[in-house]
Each structure stands twice: as C-alpha cells, then as structure tokens.
C-alpha cells in the first residue's frame, strides 16, 4: 500500500503541526519547573514573566514561585506536569513520526494521548473560573491559550478511536467472510 502524503490527510496534518508547535513550548516554558534555576536562561524567565503579566495564569505563577506542586492545593497540576514530561512529550515525537509515515500503528498511542491530554487540560480550564485575581481580559487570554490544547487532543481522541474501531470492525468482517 502506497504512503498517502501528510498534506492529503488534513486532520493528520493538524495533529502533526500541533505536536511540532508543542515541542518548543514544552521545552522552553512548561518544563522550566524541572530545570535547575541556574540553568534557565534569563530570556526564558522574561518570557514566562511576560506571559504571567498579561494572563495572570495562576498555574504558571505557582510554578514560577517555585511552589512544590506535588503537595497542597495544586498537587493535581504537579502530577499533570510530570505526565506531560514523561508521557505526553515523547508522544509528540513518536506521533509526528507515525503521522509523517502514515502509520496506522500510531492510532492507539494517539488515542491514549488525546484522551489523557484532554482530561488533564479540562481541570486547568475550570480552575481559571475559580476566584483568582484576574480580569475578564486575562481570563479570555488564558482560555484562548488553553482551550486549543483541550479541543485538539479531544478531537484526536475521538478521531483515533473511530479509526481503531473501523480497523477492528473491518478485521472482524474479514474474519467472518473467510
């Protein structure tokens, strides 16, 4: 079977670019909490502070303060950060490779990624609606930033679930006709 180019698979192309854009964002911003402070370039610290200033992101503020995110009120967010580092980030790379090659074997992994990520981003979004010192504009900025990281993985999970279902159903039908 000939490989169908990524440009001929619009949803796969969206997923590919989603992962491609997520890699530098994770390395440069999300994972700062895992780096020794002395090794984080001042430019990255200024970018993080700029984002906090315009968005009042309470989750990023807690990470920037150096709060222990594995204890207390934000333990769930600390767990999500580790999940991004250890599970989601490797899938960005594996997913891009599988999507580029048109491999159907990546579907299950992308289904797991999409379900996991949508499930972890949704509580973050709801957290922004709790009482925090932020303006309506800052809340809108946060939502416009976080909602795509909920919707794309949610669509991915549904899409990959459908693809896996179709493969299994096709195999079952083939087995019944033999």
């Amino acid at each position: 079977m000939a490989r169908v180019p990524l440009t001929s698979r619009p949803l796969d192309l969206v997923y590919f670019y989603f992962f491609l854009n997520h890699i530098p964002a994770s390395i440069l911003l999300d994972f700062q909490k895992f780096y020794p402070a002395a090794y984080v370039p001042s430019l990255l610290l200024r970018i993080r502070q700029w984002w906090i200033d315009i968005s009042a992101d309470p989750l990023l503020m807690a990470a920037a303060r150096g709060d222990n995110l594995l204890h207390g009120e934000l333990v769930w967010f600390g767990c999500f950060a580790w999940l991004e580092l250890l599970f989601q980030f490797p899938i960005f790379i594996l997913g891009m490779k599988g999507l580029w090659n048109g491999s159907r074997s990546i579907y299950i992994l992308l289904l797991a990624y999409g379900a996991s990520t949508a499930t972890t981003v949704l509580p973050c979004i709801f957290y922004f609606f709790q009482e925090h010192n932020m303006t309506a504009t800052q809340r809108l900025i946060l939502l416009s930033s976080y909602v795509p990281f909920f919707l794309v993985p949610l669509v991915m999970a549904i899409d990959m679930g459908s693809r896996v279902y179709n493969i299994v159903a096709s195999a079952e039908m083939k087995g019944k006709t033999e």
Side-chain angles (χ1 to χ4, degrees), residues 35-153:
Y35 307 145
Y39 293 109
V40 179
S42 61
L43 174 63
L44 295 182
L45 293 173
R46 286 193 307 271
I47 290 170
R48 179 178 67 188
Q49 190 57 51
W50 167 81
W51 177 253
I52 289 171
D53 290 345
I54 68 163
S55 70
D57 184 331
L59 299 173
L60 199 53
M61 273 192 253
R65 282 191 309 262
D67 292 3
N68 183 341
L69 298 177
L70 293 179
H71 293 87
E73 176 189 348
L74 295 177
V75 66
W76 58 272
F77 181 64
C79 292
F80 293 169
W82 279 103
L83 185 65
E84 180 181 1
L85 176 70
L86 300 174
F87 175 69
Q88 295 171 1
F89 188 80
I91 292 175
F92 301 160
I93 297 158
L94 295 171
M96 286 174 53
K97 181 180 180 200
L99 291 165
W100 181 266
N101 293 327
S103 173
R104 292 174 8 157
S105 65
I106 200 74
Y107 294 173
I108 293 284
L109 190 59
L110 295 185
L111 168 60
Y113 165 83
S116 169
T117 301
T119 302
T120 59
V121 174
L122 189 60
C124 298
I125 292 169
F126 275 81
Y127 186 72
F128 301 144
F129 288 101
Q130 291 185 359
E131 189 59 40
H132 293 289
N133 293 326
M134 67 177 68
T135 66
T137 301
Q138 289 171 322
R139 195 167 274 120
L140 185 60
I141 289 169
L142 279 176
L143 290 174
S144 67
S145 173
Y146 278 76
V147 167
F149 289 96
F150 167 71
L151 290 178
V152 172

